[in-house]
Amino acid sequence: MNDTPRVAPKSPSEALKPVAPPAPPPKARRRRRSPFLSMLSGLFTVALVGAGVVGAGIAIVSNQSKAPGPLASDRVLIIPKENGLTEIAELLQREGLIEHPLSFRVAAIMGGDWHRLQAGEYLFKARVSPQEILGIISSGKVVEHSITVPEGLTSEQIVARLRDNELLTGEIAQVPKEGSILPDTYRFPRGFSRQAIIDRMARDQRVVLARIWERRPSDLPIKTPQELVVLASIVEKETGRADERPRVAGVFINRLNQKMRLQSDPTIVYGLVGGKGTLGRAIQRNEITQATPYNTYVINGLPPGPIANPGRAAMEAVVNHSRTKDLYFVADGSGGHAFAETLDQHNRNVGRWRQIETTRSQQQGGKPPADAVDKVEPPPAPDSRSEAPATMQPGSGAGLPVAQPAGAVAGTRARAFDASEGTPRDPLLDKTFDLNSPKLVPQLKP
């Protein structure tokens, strides 16, 4: 409804004229939009869309990294040095550990593990997930290998074993001094230094020796830790049985206390071949009396140095030796030794052992036993000397009379020579006979 007041016409003709329509209302003025606000609005829209895409991607990557992988069985894999994240992801894909290398790289970057990945040899369990793979490689928990160094090897033999091990690297500066390294089982990662193994063995030897030396008895006829190692190395080479070490050590302690010569076969061998450790044949008759600094059939007391690297147990046996009156021992055919306090008892034990050897030789068709390496065979002819430890050697200074068994013929050799231990063909490993069981002791022939 138009609210404009109606004006009365002044004349009829004027009334017939049409009334002019009112003027239209003025148009509202539109405000101009700021270009800065428009840009912000656009960026917000893009960011919102991008956040949605990134969130979806993160969810996908997270699910893939936690999902079990395609590896069907346990696998050991070496991650080479200087490999970056991309190379590692490609290697894992080639080896069948992951399916999506891009997802693996994204997970590594998101988790912050990409700069902590370490080269090395790793064990991956079957169906291991990419996230677990990242944890293993970034932790540096590589596969450890082991090398066992048996007791009683010389330093040259130990160095040779380390050089033959292809998992170790580097050279060994020099062969360690005899008796300065501790035989044991050592664990190491692939690529570990050979010299580092030697250094560890030397460090362990110093620690173990110091602890054992502190517990030595006051009456031990050993004056220095080095002498303890020397005697322990002889004990180590004389027997491979743990239960016999203290008793064998006791025999040598008794001999030292009575100023007897030790007369140990392995010292003959070491005096002849040194660090090589074994002759590879029987000891010859003339080698028994061959003067070397180590031959305890010739020298008094201990040799000038160890003849091998003794283990912890052998060193413990020296300071905790059996308190017996034993002065002699010889192989008994059961893998151990028969011990004796007197020469007469000892010679009877030796006779049994020789009978055992004869029986074995006959079973082998008269051929020398294969376990004769480093072992002397007494000559059948009469000999002008006696190998029994109670015999006073010329120039020994022991001041002890020559001991002879009852009924012994003057000038004959008392067969008291023991077999050398420590070879793969150890005669003491044969348990056919047992001197502790009368039923298993062979009858001596008249």
Side-chain angles (χ1 to χ4, degrees):
M1 180 177 180
N2 192 353
D3 294 336
T4 304
R6 186 176 181 85
V7 181
K10 297 180 178 181
S11 64
S13 60
E14 186 178 0
L16 294 175
K17 292 181 179 180
V19 179
K27 295 182 178 180
R29 295 181 59 187
R30 298 183 60 185
R31 298 179 60 183
R32 295 185 59 188
R33 190 173 184 180
S34 170
F36 179 71
L37 294 177
S38 299
M39 182 180 66
L40 286 179
S41 177
L43 290 177
F44 179 76
T45 303
V46 171
L48 188 61
V49 174
V53 173
V54 171
I58 292 175
I60 294 173
V61 169
S62 178
N63 290 334
Q64 290 180 347
S65 64
K66 295 178 181 179
L71 189 62
S73 59
D74 295 357
R75 179 80 176 277
V76 173
L77 185 65
I78 299 176
I79 305 298
K81 293 182 178 180
E82 301 180 356
N83 267 22
L85 177 59
T86 301
E87 291 82 2
I88 293 176
E90 293 174 352
L91 173 64
L92 294 173
Q93 184 188 33
R94 288 197 306 270
E95 298 297 332
L97 275 75
I98 61 174
E99 293 178 321
H100 309 288
L102 177 59
S103 174
F104 179 84
R105 295 199 300 269
V106 173
I109 296 173
M110 288 171 49
D113 295 323
W114 64 273
H115 64 284
R116 295 199 300 265
L117 302 182
Q118 303 179 43
E121 184 179 15
Y122 297 94
L123 171 63
F124 300 101
K125 298 292 185 179
R127 310 296 292 173
V128 61
S129 68
Q131 188 176 55
E132 292 171 331
I133 293 175
L134 284 170
I136 293 172
I137 301 177
S138 62
S139 69
K141 295 180 180 179
V142 297
V143 174
E144 285 193 333
H145 302 271
S146 63
I147 182 170
T148 298
V149 179
E151 296 88 346
L153 293 184
T154 67
S155 293
E156 284 188 22
Q157 291 173 322
I158 292 174
V159 167
R161 285 191 175 220
L162 296 180
R163 286 173 175 164
D164 290 341
N165 192 302
E166 298 179 351
L167 299 176
L168 295 169
T169 59
E171 295 297 327
I172 296 174
Q174 62 181 4
V175 176
K177 291 183 179 179
E178 206 71 81
S180 66
I181 51 182
L182 184 68
D184 205 341
T185 296
Y186 294 89
R187 301 187 66 82
F188 61 92
R190 178 185 291 269
F192 200 67
S193 166
R194 294 184 175 90
Q195 184 62 49
I197 292 284
I198 289 291
D199 295 341
R200 186 191 301 177
M201 296 175 69
R203 182 171 61 253
D204 289 353
Q205 168 72 348
R206 290 192 296 269
V207 172
V208 170
L209 178 58
R211 292 175 179 172
I212 294 176
W213 180 250
E214 290 177 355
R215 302 195 303 270
R216 72 189 185 280
S218 58
D219 60 345
L220 190 70
I222 301 295
K223 304 307 179 185
T224 65
Q226 177 66 7
E227 289 185 354
L228 189 152
V229 176
V230 173
L231 183 54
S233 69
I234 297 175
V235 173
E236 192 75 80
K237 296 295 288 185
E238 284 286 3
T239 180
R241 284 181 47 166
D243 61 326
E244 280 194 348
R245 289 192 187 104
R247 195 166 182 181
V248 170
V251 170
F252 290 126
I253 294 293
N254 292 340
R255 292 181 184 181
L256 289 174
N257 284 330
Q258 297 191 27
K259 307 299 182 184
M260 289 175 158
R261 289 182 177 173
L262 300 184
Q263 293 189 324
S264 170
D265 297 1
T267 62
I268 299 176
V269 177
Y270 194 87
L272 296 173
V273 300
K276 294 180 181 179
T278 179
L279 284 169
R281 57 169 175 79
I283 299 172
Q284 297 176 358
R285 178 181 177 184
N286 65 325
E287 292 170 340
I288 302 172
T289 54
Q290 183 173 334
T292 72
Y294 288 86
N295 187 351
T296 53
Y297 280 84
V298 177
I299 67 171
N300 298 319
L302 295 170
I307 62 172
N309 290 277
R312 186 193 313 260
M315 291 187 285
E316 291 276 7
V318 172
V319 299
N320 298 305
H321 59 276
S322 299
R323 302 284 179 161
T324 68
K325 296 181 180 180
D326 296 332
L327 292 173
Y328 315 98
F329 62 91
V330 68
D332 64 1
S334 68
H337 292 81
F339 295 84
E341 297 180 6
T342 67
L343 183 60
D344 186 52
Q345 294 173 349
H346 178 60
N347 285 335
R348 287 198 297 270
N349 292 337
V350 171
R352 290 190 180 94
W353 170 239
R354 293 308 177 192
Q355 185 61 50
I356 292 171
E357 289 184 309
T358 301
T359 302
R360 291 177 179 173
S361 178
Q362 292 174 352
Q363 292 174 350
Q364 296 178 4
K367 297 181 180 179
D371 53 23
V373 174
D374 290 350
K375 174 187 173 185
V376 67
E377 292 298 334
D383 197 348
S384 60
R385 67 181 177 83
S386 172
E387 291 180 5
T391 302
M392 183 181 70
Q393 300 288 346
S396 66
L400 296 177
V402 177
Q404 291 286 351
V409 179
T412 58
R413 179 182 182 187
R415 299 191 175 195
F417 201 90
D418 190 14
S420 177
E421 318 291 343
T423 67
R425 296 177 290 183
D426 192 337
L428 304 183
L429 298 180
D430 190 328
K431 300 184 182 299
T432 305
F433 302 99
D434 185 1
L435 293 180
N436 296 319
S437 175
K439 294 182 179 180
L440 297 179
V441 176
Q443 296 295 324
L444 290 177
K445 293 182 179 180

